Amino acid sequence: MAVLVVAGVVSGWGTGEAAAEPSPAGTLYVNHDGVCSDTATGSASMPFCTVQAAADAMVPGQTVRVESPDGLPYVESVTLTRSGTKDAPITFTGAALVPEGSPAVLTPKGSAPALTLEAVHDVRIQSLGIGYASADAVAVTGSTGVTLDRLSFRRPVPSADGTGTAVSVDGASSDVTVSRNRVPDGYAYGVQAQPGASQFTVTTNVVTDPRRGGIVLTGTSGAAVTSNTVITPCATGISLEGTSRGTVENNVVASAGAKQTDSCPAPTAPLYSVSAASADQVTGDYNVAANGVGAFARPRPECAWAGTPYTTAASLHDATGQGAHDIDGLNVPTATAPPEHSALIDSADADAPGELTTDVDGSPLVDDPLVDDTGTGTGPTAHPDRGAVERQDSITVPGDDMPSPSRGVAPFVTSVKTDDATTSWGKSIATYSVDFGDGSAPVTQAPGAPITHTYTTPGVYAPAITVTDADGSSRTVRSAAVDAGTATPPAASLSGALVTTADGQVDAGDASFTVAQPADAWEVAYRVLTFGDGDHESLADGPQKIEHQYPAAGSYTATLTQTDLLGRTTTAKVTVHAADAFLPITAQYDAERTIPAHGVLKLSAATVHADSDGVDAARLQVVTSGAKARGILTLYTDGTTRPGTSTVGFEPGRTVSNEATVKVAPTGAIDLYNGSSGPVTVNVATLGLQSHAQFGRTYHPATPIRLLDTRGATGGHTGAVTGGHSVTLTVSGAHGVPADANAVVLNVVATATKGSGSLTVSPAGTVNSGVSGPYWTTGQTASAQIVVPMVPLINGKVVLRNNSKSSAHLVADVVGWYGPTASGTTFRPVSPVRILNTRTGTGGRTAKLGAHATLRLKVTGAHGVPANAVSAVDLNLTVPSPTGSGYLVAYADGTTRPDVHSADYTSGHPAAGAALVKVGADGEIDLYNAGSTAVDVDIDLLGDYSLNTVG
């Protein structure tokens, strides 16, 4: 940030008072942005941290530079007690006020003024921002030879009722100049002098909306109130009270419509006021009382002179002889430059005491050739306008007078045209000056040849072009940024992860993306992240974390596209395997219906509990009974074509059960098709849901572990289980199943059955929440794979109850579990598809599976199952027409065959069995026929469990 370092004229910002430029050794620095120390010497490399530290250290001839590159204010109330000399004043300066620039700001701490000058002399304060104070903002007490120039006072937010004075000078002070300051709304008084002050000059200031008075001098001798602009709807703009002596010239005081309130005490007060005791010692002329005209006229006096109000300039002059050249009948709503042809232009007294060479913004006082000169005097500069803001020549700088090219790979050369700026006054252009914004010195030259420059260092720069006419009017324009890029664009970086809870539950369709801050981040123009499902998000600057919920399970490619300032793009991609997490449901039968021959039963989403967020599939148990003919039952997604798969085979005189995972999207409903020539009764229970938009559990397939075998001593129970009796087994917290498992997958077998019956598996301590296991007839060996929701889990135990009237031996193996562990696998349902049919050759085999033979089947890389990272597949095994008895064993290829029953069959009776089968490292499963006869086998694929990855 550029900062003024001289006490007088610098680039047109001075008051016309010449002063020597201090040497670098005579400069103290204040900068709280970075390394600083209040006990150091205030050098550029080790500046003071606070303004007060510099105020306490400075000596005559020194300048204090107050810098604030971080834009943060100095929150402190500073008291200056050190003085300069006439030949070696001391100076406080902030950042140079340039178009769109901001000074360093001093904000008061507590109720004390931001700055107090206490018994000092030969001091200049310039180009500082002053924060709002509840009391006075700048206080001058007992001081002489003080100049307060180009201070920018801050408006309180919200605006207060006016409790402080922007600049207060006490009666013991003299030779004080208050010049070119801006005082906004919110102060009680703009500038105020107490009785006894002398040689007080108030010139070229803007005071807006003072609550009790704009410029108020009381008992002040040698006063000069010159070329100020006061917009004052609620109080008198300029007042000389008590016994004051001096001049009031070239000022503009404007009214504005307002109603009387606590914060607007005097909306009908005169614009100017000179007390009776001062009337014979004050002269006023060339002032403007802008009290409105026509519909904008306000009912208030323009001036109160010696206590008498006057409503027009003519009546004031006729009665007092004052204001011979005053102007009224104008509407001046704002403190801006007068419009072209205004009566304010070139109509002031150039010889007025305190008249400066520049206006409040540092612009020169110039002659407007379009307006006849009606002012007087030669002064420092002839032809000044009235008020604090000078009308300037309007300079037009064409849009192509900007650095061209404006972007490139550093180093690159750019140039600025200097031959086509024009002015509204027809003045010739004197100079072009270009500050290229990279720290190099500005280049100034007469119009003509382009100004060229080489940007050697990559960066973003803000060039400023200043065009000045022959009279000194100038215009500074800032081009769009110049972008000097690096040789290669910044690399894009994108990573992702699943969204999990603290206890490990996962929302398997919700991905959290991390976009790192790239190297050379300044060079990035914008970034867009597309999620691969049609949605996208524009990203802000800096490192980002973005969470996105995918609309369905599936694979998506998220792409970060990063575009730099030169239009070059880089990308980064991650693949998101959105899937489903398992939500266990306490098993209760949800529907019992009879389906007519070749009929379809539709179960609504609400019936099977699939009407919550993001549910894609339901795990159901179906029990068939009362069949009038042999047939198959097929479960499938409502609204889709019925697949050529089967869920359970049934026949008259037998009750049969099986589990299946059924895809429910898009409607949430499920259809059950009766593929027989007679009706059949079905009883349906929901055991769990698979959702991509809820926090749920992941699946962990296990190498089967035997929990119970009553034929031996495994599980602590020896001997057949009597009909109507139960066996309690510890499952979770043992056998590799964690204590917080929410559901377990068991293979259960009933054998050596002495009568017909069934098995129920329930979490210990629950009522009416069991899962029906296999049903059997006398002497039949029956098996089932069942998912047992452990909700609630009591001591990690399950109960197996023999519902028969006769005894049976029971066998149970754990083959997997669901739990709140993010390292498990998640589910992706598929539309049911037959992947093996030994009768038709589907799956690559056209012969029965022989007795004690093993078939290898590839289950990954097809039918929607990923090629890798698959831990298990959800299958239904069917033996459609066995001619002997036996059972099938499905297990991971490359592993030792376990002694589990995946599907038991008996001669002449179709059999089906659900199987969550662990997949071998090669993506294959093995199917072993443990029977003594060859059998045909159908395998239907319902979905897969895979590592849910983002990467």
Side-chain angles (χ1 to χ4, degrees):
M1 184 176 290
V3 180
L4 289 179
V5 295
V6 298
V9 179
V10 179
S11 301
W13 302 122
T15 63
E17 302 170 0
E21 181 177 341
S23 67
T27 302
L28 303 180
Y29 296 85
V30 181
N31 190 335
H32 57 186
D33 181 20
V35 179
C36 60
S37 173
D38 280 346
T39 61
T41 58
S43 65
S45 59
M46 183 57 71
F48 291 120
C49 300
T50 64
V51 179
Q52 185 66 61
D56 292 341
M58 66 188 313
V59 297
Q62 285 188 321
T63 292
V64 173
R65 287 182 54 167
V66 184
E67 299 175 327
S68 183
D70 59 3
L72 298 177
Y74 289 84
V75 182
E76 51 181 308
S77 293
V78 175
T79 299
L80 178 61
T81 58
R82 295 196 168 218
S83 300
T85 66
K86 189 171 184 61
D87 295 329
I90 62 175
T91 302
F92 275 81
T93 183
L97 287 179
V98 296
E100 303 176 9
S102 297
V105 177
L106 187 62
T107 296
K109 188 174 184 178
S111 59
L115 178 63
T116 299
L117 284 74
E118 186 176 290
V120 299
H121 57 84
D122 299 296
V123 174
R124 182 180 184 85
I125 311 294
Q126 63 186 33
S127 301
L128 280 172
I130 304 295
Y132 179 75
S134 58
D136 298 337
V138 176
V140 181
T141 62
S143 298
T144 184
V146 172
T147 297
L148 305 175
D149 185 52
R150 297 300 304 277
L151 303 183
S152 177
F153 292 82
R154 294 300 188 258
R155 182 179 187 271
V157 179
S159 178
D161 289 339
T163 57
T165 298
V167 177
S168 174
V169 178
D170 77 346
S173 297
S174 64
D175 190 17
V176 176
T177 298
V178 178
S179 58
R180 300 186 302 178
N181 303 295
R182 285 188 176 270
V183 180
D185 177 16
Y187 288 89
Y189 300 93
V191 180
Q192 190 176 37
Q194 302 300 326
S198 62
Q199 304 304 310
F200 188 24
T201 300
V202 184
T203 179
T204 321
N205 300 283
V206 170
V207 180
T208 304
D209 197 7
R211 302 304 171 85
R212 303 187 184 280
I215 299 170
V216 180
L217 310 185
T218 303
T220 304
S221 60
V225 183
T226 305
S227 294
N228 301 285
T229 296
V230 184
I231 307 297
T232 178
C234 297
T236 297
I238 296 176
S239 301
L240 271 69
E241 305 299 334
T243 304
S244 296
R245 299 191 302 273
T247 60
V248 181
E249 289 199 59
N250 299 344
N251 300 285
V252 173
V253 178
S255 178
K259 294 182 179 179
Q260 185 169 8
T261 64
D262 290 343
S263 61
C264 185
T268 59
L271 301 183
Y272 295 86
S273 177
V274 177
S275 67
S278 302
D280 292 338
Q281 303 174 88
V282 173
T283 60
D285 203 1
Y286 293 93
N287 296 299
V288 176
N291 201 18
V293 61
F296 296 100
R298 283 95 185 183
R300 59 191 297 187
E302 293 183 357
C303 182
W305 194 275
T308 302
Y310 298 95
T311 57
T312 64
S315 62
L316 171 66
H317 178 65
D318 289 345
T320 67
Q322 301 287 338
H325 302 91
D326 284 0
I327 300 174
D328 56 12
L330 298 179
N331 186 44
V332 179
T334 60
T336 57
E340 193 65 87
H341 304 295
S342 168
L344 305 184
I345 299 174
D346 295 349
S347 63
D349 178 8
D351 294 328
E355 185 69 28
L356 304 181
T357 60
T358 63
D359 72 359
V360 68
D361 295 320
S363 300
L365 307 185
V366 293
D367 180 27
D368 183 346
L370 305 182
V371 175
D372 291 337
D373 294 343
T374 57
T376 188
T378 57
T381 302
H383 318 296
D385 299 346
R386 304 193 195 196
V389 188
E390 180 82 1
R391 173 76 187 186
Q392 300 291 308
D393 190 1
S394 179
I395 299 174
T396 300
V397 181
D400 58 357
D401 283 6
M402 299 297 161
S404 179
S406 62
R407 56 181 54 180
V409 175
F412 77 95
V413 178
T414 188
S415 64
V416 175
K417 293 173 60 177
T418 66
D419 59 0
D420 54 0
T422 58
T423 76
S424 62
W425 293 351
K427 301 287 185 178
S428 61
I429 300 300
T431 61
Y432 277 76
S433 182
V434 183
D435 182 346
F436 287 94
D438 59 354
S440 61
V443 179
T444 303
Q445 68 177 44
I451 297 175
T452 61
H453 180 71
T454 299
Y455 284 99
T456 58
T457 304
V460 178
Y461 304 104
I465 302 168
T466 301
V467 180
T468 305
D469 72 7
D471 285 349
S473 288
S474 64
R475 182 186 178 195
T476 299
V477 293
R478 298 184 179 275
S479 71
V482 170
D483 306 318
T486 56
T488 57
S493 174
L494 178 66
S495 60
L498 296 179
V499 176
T500 61
T501 63
D503 63 359
Q505 294 188 72
V506 60
D507 185 342
D510 194 359
S512 176
F513 297 97
T514 298
V515 179
Q517 182 80 329
D520 298 318
W522 60 268
E523 200 168 358
V524 176
Y526 55 90
R527 298 175 294 179
V528 176
L529 179 59
T530 57
F531 298 104
D533 60 357
D535 283 351
H536 71 278
E537 185 171 334
S538 296
L539 305 184
D541 295 335
Q544 299 284 306
K545 277 196 174 294
I546 305 96
E547 189 174 322
H548 183 71
Q549 179 71 59
Y550 281 93
S555 293
Y556 304 88
T557 299
T559 304
L560 172 67
T561 301
Q562 185 170 275
T563 304
D564 75 358
L565 296 170
L566 304 187
R568 301 173 296 184
T569 61
T570 53
T571 60
K573 299 176 183 289
V574 295
T575 300
V576 180
H577 300 290
D580 292 323
F582 186 68
L583 310 173
I585 294 178
T586 301
Q588 292 181 346
Y589 285 101
D590 299 316
E592 184 175 2
R593 306 281 192 279
T594 297
I595 310 174
H598 303 296
V600 176
L601 171 64
K602 178 179 179 179
L603 299 179
S604 70
T607 300
V608 295
H609 311 286
D611 52 352
S612 58
D613 290 344
V615 173
D616 294 317
R619 179 79 176 185
L620 304 180
Q621 183 187 67
V622 180
V623 179
T624 64
S625 61
K628 301 302 182 183
R630 175 175 289 194
I632 61 170
L633 189 70
T634 300
L635 275 68
Y636 61 100
T637 309
D638 178 62
T640 65
T641 302
R642 185 176 74 247
T645 58
S646 65
T647 302
V648 61
F650 55 85
E651 57 187 318
R654 287 197 172 198
T655 299
V656 184
S657 69
N658 197 20
E659 290 189 12
T661 302
V662 186
K663 193 174 181 181
V664 299
T667 65
I670 293 171
D671 290 346
L672 289 79
Y673 170 69
N674 175 9
S676 77
S677 59
V680 64
T681 298
V682 297
N683 203 318
V684 180
T686 304
L687 308 179
L689 303 172
Q690 300 282 3
S691 172
H692 67 267
Q694 298 184 57
F695 286 102
R697 286 75 175 177
T698 58
Y699 181 59
H700 300 256
T703 300
I705 300 173
R706 182 138 296 174
L707 306 178
L708 173 71
D709 189 340
T710 61
R711 296 169 300 182
T714 303
H717 187 99
T718 302
V721 179
T722 306
H725 286 72
S726 302
V727 175
T728 300
L729 302 175
T730 298
V731 180
S732 54
H735 315 294
V737 179
D740 59 354
N742 302 99
V744 294
V745 183
L746 300 179
N747 261 94
V748 293
V749 179
T751 189
T753 56
K754 301 302 183 180
S756 61
S758 66
L759 187 69
T760 300
V761 184
S762 307
T766 62
V767 179
N768 296 325
S769 61
V771 180
S772 293
Y775 288 78
W776 60 81
T777 59
T778 302
Q780 180 188 0
T781 295
S783 63
Q785 188 179 96
I786 58 178
V787 174
V788 185
M790 308 291 280
V791 183
L793 178 64
I794 299 179
N795 298 322
K797 300 179 184 295
V798 296
V799 177
L800 279 65
R801 177 178 175 79
N802 178 4
N803 297 316
S804 171
K805 294 181 179 180
S806 304
S807 66
H809 278 290
L810 302 180
V811 180
D813 295 274
V814 62
V815 297
W817 53 274
Y818 294 93
T821 307
S823 61
T825 56
T826 50
F827 185 68
R828 274 177 289 193
V830 300
S831 297
V833 59
R834 183 148 290 175
I835 61 173
L836 177 69
N837 185 331
T838 58
R839 303 179 303 286
T840 64
T842 299
R845 185 183 179 94
T846 56
K848 291 183 178 182
L849 179 58
H852 308 295
T854 300
L855 177 153
R856 294 172 63 190
L857 180 65
K858 182 79 170 178
V859 293
T860 60
H863 310 296
V865 178
N868 4 43
V870 177
S871 69
V873 285
D874 193 345
L875 304 177
N876 193 63
L877 312 179
T878 302
V879 182
S881 54
T883 57
S885 296
Y887 61 93
L888 301 177
V889 181
Y891 61 100
D893 183 58
T895 66
T896 301
R897 184 177 72 244
D899 183 22
V900 296
H901 293 213
S902 300
D904 274 275
Y905 58 84
T906 57
S907 180
H909 301 288
L916 288 177
V917 185
K918 193 172 182 180
V919 176
D922 54 4
E924 296 183 342
I925 64 169
D926 290 349
L927 187 66
Y928 172 70
N929 178 12
S932 57
T933 60
V935 292
D936 282 312
V937 180
D938 297 333
I939 298 181
D940 298 328
L941 174 69
L942 307 178
D944 70 86
Y945 285 89
S946 304
L947 290 174
N948 191 11
T949 57
V950 180

